[in-house]
Amino acid sequence: MSGLPNYHALKVDASKCIGCTHCMKACPTEAIRVIDGLAVIDHERCVDCGQCHRSCPTHAFYVEQDDLAKIKAFKYRVILFPSIMIGQFPEKYNETQIYSGLKKVGFTHVFEVEQPIQLLIDSVNEYLGNEENPKPAISTYCPAVVRLIQGRYPSLTENLILRKAPHDLAAHFAIERLLLEGAQREEIGLFYATPCIAKIASVKSPVGERESIVDGIVNMNHLYNEVMKVISEVEVEDNSVQRYNLSEEGILWSLTRGESRHFGSRSIAIDGIHNVVRFLERLENDQVKGVDFLELRACDQSCAGGILLTGNRFLTVEKLERRAKRYPSAKDISESTISVDIDELKQKLDIDSISPKPLFIFGKDRVKAMDKMTRAQRIVCSLPGIDCGACGAPNCHALAEDMVNRRAKMSDCIFLQQMWEDEGKITAGKAHLNVQKKWGTDRFKADCNKRGRRNEGF
Amino acid sequence: MKLLFTIQGGDFTRAGHPSSEVKKVLKQLDIDGKTIKNIVIALYEAEVNVVAHAWKGTVSVEIEENKITIWVSDEGPGIADIELAMQAGYSTASKEVREMGFGAGMGLPNMKKNTDELHIESEVGIGTKVKMVNYFS
């Protein structure tokens, strides 16, 4: 199955971007270049991890979302959200008040996505039990990691577990429940509140799926603001019935070790995209032995560190851990509480296949590719090797590769240019113009409030 | 195209650098994953051998249209009986090296298993030269 084309929600606001190179350096797939003083994302390479968004000192990256008014078109308006959203709100609001707040925003049904999680646990265990599936099995929970593996570690694609994420589970669960209540399928609008960019992409163009089950996406920080406008300060009516399928395991699912604690006799959980990259390099070299299950998450502290969240990630983790203690274990939730056809729901969790999409190849013609790479190697010898980024590429090696792919020229390197100036091969005026072309005239103006001069984003 | 690396004996922290670099290049050349894996495993084993036993060594790689040839040469104690060293489980690694999780006696057998051609020349007290060839499918 080829699936939908890659959708990317991440955009750069040209009026805010100052071409400071922070994002370019943070990107794990070298997908960003600075061109004419602006960050430009190569959407082929982007895996939607959001590192650029996080590192931007001027908040120039923004994330497209659907208009909340879109929900009005549906009779049954369902908001699906991961448990971490509850952890965003100040302690004085309890979950009953938050649920009521979501209804005041305009939703008719409120579903936390990690339910009924036992179905997913069983399904993944069943997958792991099949000896034919390669080990270590890698969770497909984090969509940025899935795309990273498809693109940068294509040979590991076969290790990805062919099971969907909780938001798919909840979407199907919500539909089945509403159909039981007498709703027609076309009357149901499903909206997903996302903590991260990668989830937007995975919901809009799911890996291994033909079409998305969800009708719209709402950024979690936006929804948070909307709820905060209407949330009640006083106790509201009991709505705990909506959380009867929520369990301790479900609430902890999106946190680090939320999955790995359940699976395999030897499992590892890794969070933070650069940690994941380092580990996958080892795994690809066959230097990781005996591990059954890998939980890999792009964000530090997993989804609690999602870039569209408002709260501090460590406080969110602590709040969720406390909340989880109040909930029953997933296996203690009886099938009658779930009240829909469990086998049918379980079947919907399967993914047919995930195909590799190698990103870092130099073209199909091997001889030409080798020639290009040899030339790039030779160019690297002449570059300063300090990866300063002043050329608009993340490091000297990337610049050399851009050069042989005709996307950059020798004079983009300010060191080479300086040398040529000294050797009289280029005039000072021309050299200055070259740099100006790359970075704009404003970069040369004196300005004590110049943004991006320090790591303001960190 | 050619690549050249040096290996320092005893420095386990750097073992794996040449194999990672070679892997990166082969991925860019769109060589299939299984072939890359074989090459990387064989080269890594050879690197670890140099680190574990020898004083210093070099890795020299030549990639052509249909094959990759890797020479790993070291200055070290050499291998007295190559046939014996090729047997699975035979090891002369020191206790320290074994404690680090290396020296299980699978190095040369693994190199044999993961390459299309393997030639070993060794002189006791002087060093060892290994040549490995893998063909691309």
Side-chain angles (χ1 to χ4, degrees):
Chain A
M1 202 182 285
S2 61
L4 298 166
N6 269 4
Y7 174 88
H8 292 284
L10 207 55
K11 300 274 172 340
V12 183
D13 183 340
S15 68
K16 287 183 180 166
C17 176
I18 54 164
C20 67
T21 75
H22 289 142
C23 56
M24 185 174 83
K25 296 269 182 187
C27 177
T29 56
E30 296 181 353
I32 298 177
R33 297 291 182 275
V34 176
I35 301 170
D36 295 333
L38 290 177
V40 177
I41 305 172
D42 177 349
H43 286 300
E44 283 290 307
R45 280 197 177 188
C46 174
V47 296
D48 305 287
C49 70
Q51 284 295 320
C52 49
H53 188 288
R54 207 187 286 283
S55 64
C56 182
T58 64
H59 308 288
F61 289 88
Y62 65 98
V63 180
E64 279 188 337
Q65 63 170 345
D66 291 308
D67 189 351
L68 256 183
K70 209 177 147 186
I71 69 172
K72 287 183 189 137
F74 299 92
K75 185 176 172 197
Y76 300 90
R77 303 178 290 276
V78 182
I79 181 71
L80 303 163
F81 63 93
S83 283
I84 32 164
M85 180 151 154
I86 299 288
Q88 302 306 295
F89 288 88
E91 297 270 5
K92 64 174 180 174
Y93 299 115
N94 59 36
E95 53 205 75
T96 308
Q97 287 163 317
I98 299 165
Y99 268 59
S100 293
L102 284 163
K103 287 206 169 167
K104 280 190 204 162
V105 170
F107 294 99
T108 60
H109 293 78
V110 181
F111 275 90
E112 278 183 64
V113 297
E114 295 92 351
Q115 54 179 337
I117 204 73
Q118 191 62 40
L119 295 189
L120 190 57
I121 296 177
D122 291 345
S123 182
V124 171
N125 268 325
E126 188 188 65
Y127 182 89
L128 295 174
N130 184 343
E131 294 289 324
E132 283 174 22
N133 293 325
K135 296 275 161 62
I138 304 174
S139 166
T140 43
Y141 175 82
C142 176
V145 167
V146 172
R147 286 191 177 182
L148 180 76
I149 289 174
Q150 284 178 295
R152 192 163 161 178
Y153 306 96
S155 68
L156 297 175
T157 307
E158 61 179 28
N159 293 58
L160 289 167
I161 297 173
L162 297 172
R163 291 296 181 270
K164 286 179 190 161
H167 69 78
D168 297 295
L169 169 71
H172 289 292
F173 180 52
I175 290 172
E176 297 298 323
R177 285 290 282 260
L178 287 170
L179 293 178
L180 280 178
E181 282 181 27
Q184 299 295 313
R185 177 63 187 90
E186 62 276 11
E187 293 175 324
I188 306 170
L190 297 176
F191 294 83
Y192 179 68
T194 180
C196 79
I197 300 161
K199 285 274 182 208
I200 303 185
S202 81
V203 170
K204 291 253 179 188
S205 55
V207 170
E209 288 293 305
R210 254 185 258 276
E211 59 177 21
S212 172
I213 189 173
V214 172
D215 299 286
I217 295 278
V218 194
N219 294 349
M220 201 175 277
N221 50 9
H222 176 70
L223 189 60
Y224 173 85
N225 287 337
E226 292 300 307
V227 173
M228 285 302 277
K229 278 185 213 160
V230 296
I231 197 163
S232 164
E233 295 285 340
V234 289
E235 281 299 321
V236 286
E237 57 170 327
D238 178 26
N239 52 22
S240 58
V241 63
Q242 295 171 60
R243 296 182 289 277
Y244 277 180
N245 283 296
L246 199 59
S247 61
E248 186 185 354
E249 290 87 341
I251 291 169
L252 296 176
W253 198 261
S254 57
L255 304 182
T256 303
R257 293 208 67 77
E259 291 174 277
S260 66
R261 71 180 81 213
H262 302 292
F263 304 120
S265 54
R266 284 181 63 190
S267 63
I268 299 178
I270 300 167
D271 56 9
I273 192 97
H274 293 289
N275 297 331
V276 169
V277 163
R278 274 193 289 272
F279 193 84
L280 289 174
E281 287 289 335
R282 274 185 165 262
L283 183 63
E284 203 186 30
N285 292 359
D286 211 29
Q287 290 162 21
V288 178
K289 308 279 185 202
V291 175
D292 305 312
F293 179 88
L294 286 177
E295 169 196 307
L296 307 175
R297 310 271 178 89
C299 295
D300 179 26
Q301 300 300 315
S302 292
C303 299
I307 61 163
L308 298 176
L309 297 190
T310 9
N312 174 279
R313 69 189 75 159
F314 302 103
L315 295 175
T316 303
V317 170
E318 195 270 340
K319 268 190 227 169
L320 284 176
E321 282 173 346
R322 258 189 299 131
R323 181 181 181 222
K325 284 188 190 138
R326 290 191 282 110
Y327 277 80
S329 170
K331 49 186 182 302
D332 293 338
I333 293 171
S334 78
E335 296 194 351
S336 62
T337 311
I338 299 172
S339 80
V340 300
D341 189 333
I342 285 168
D343 290 329
E344 205 175 306
L345 203 53
K346 242 187 189 170
Q347 268 177 19
K348 296 203 162 110
L349 293 175
D350 294 357
I351 302 173
D352 288 349
S353 67
I354 302 176
S355 48
K357 289 180 184 163
L359 292 176
F360 290 88
I361 49 177
F362 258 74
K364 288 282 169 198
D365 184 331
R366 198 176 290 155
V367 177
K368 274 189 193 155
M370 280 201 296
D371 175 54
K372 274 188 184 176
M373 289 178 71
T374 310
R375 274 191 289 142
Q377 263 184 340
R378 222 176 302 136
I379 293 170
V380 167
C381 305
S382 309
L383 300 176
I386 58 164
D387 298 341
C388 66
C391 57
N395 52 61
C396 295
H397 207 102
L399 175 64
E401 289 178 359
D402 285 355
M403 284 182 192
V404 296
N405 284 322
R406 294 172 194 278
R407 285 199 287 262
K409 42 191 197 312
M410 288 298 248
S411 60
D412 285 339
C413 174
I414 56 167
F415 283 78
L416 283 185
Q417 187 162 268
Q418 184 75 42
M419 213 166 67
W420 289 349
E421 222 183 300
D422 184 49
E423 291 168 1
K425 289 179 182 162
I426 183 174
T427 64
K430 173 84 172 111
H432 187 73
L433 269 177
N434 271 344
V435 183
Q436 228 175 34
K437 227 163 105 187
K438 197 95 207 167
W439 299 98
T441 44
D442 286 353
R443 284 284 106 181
F444 296 91
K445 283 183 190 153
D447 175 4
C448 299
N449 296 313
K450 199 172 268 170
R451 304 290 319 262
R453 65 212 146 108
R454 267 179 279 139
N455 287 345
E456 292 167 46
F458 298 106
Chain B
M1 64 183 293
K2 291 189 170 81
L3 303 161
L4 188 69
F5 309 93
T6 54
I7 310 174
Q8 199 56 48
D11 187 0
F12 279 96
T13 56
R14 293 287 290 163
H17 172 67
S19 45
S20 286
E21 288 298 309
V22 169
K23 179 184 73 176
K24 201 174 151 195
V25 170
L26 294 176
K27 278 166 83 172
Q28 286 178 313
L29 290 175
D30 201 20
I31 306 296
D32 83 283
K34 199 161 165 28
T35 310
I36 296 181
K37 208 170 189 175
N38 290 338
I39 296 165
V40 167
I41 292 171
L43 177 53
Y44 182 69
E45 292 288 2
E47 283 174 53
V48 169
N49 277 346
V50 175
V51 173
H53 300 283
W55 305 303
K56 64 178 181 182
T58 57
V59 176
S60 152
V61 181
E62 184 171 11
I63 305 170
E64 292 162 272
E65 190 182 354
N66 61 342
K67 66 173 181 181
I68 176 171
T69 312
I70 302 174
W71 293 269
V72 183
S73 313
D74 69 47
E75 290 171 30
I79 305 169
D81 187 339
I82 294 177
E83 218 170 291
L84 191 60
M86 290 300 291
Q87 287 175 17
Y90 177 81
S91 177
T92 58
S94 66
K95 191 165 164 272
E96 288 77 21
V97 168
R98 283 164 190 263
E99 276 169 358
M100 277 189 274
F102 298 96
M106 293 309 292
L108 291 181
N110 262 342
M111 280 153 65
K112 178 97 194 144
K113 204 172 86 185
N114 287 290
T115 48
D116 296 321
E117 288 171 28
L118 174 70
H119 305 283
I120 304 172
E121 277 173 39
S122 190
E123 211 173 320
V124 173
I126 307 283
T128 305
K129 282 191 174 69
V130 174
K131 181 187 173 193
M132 299 183 281
V133 182
N134 283 62
Y135 292 91
F136 304 140
S137 40

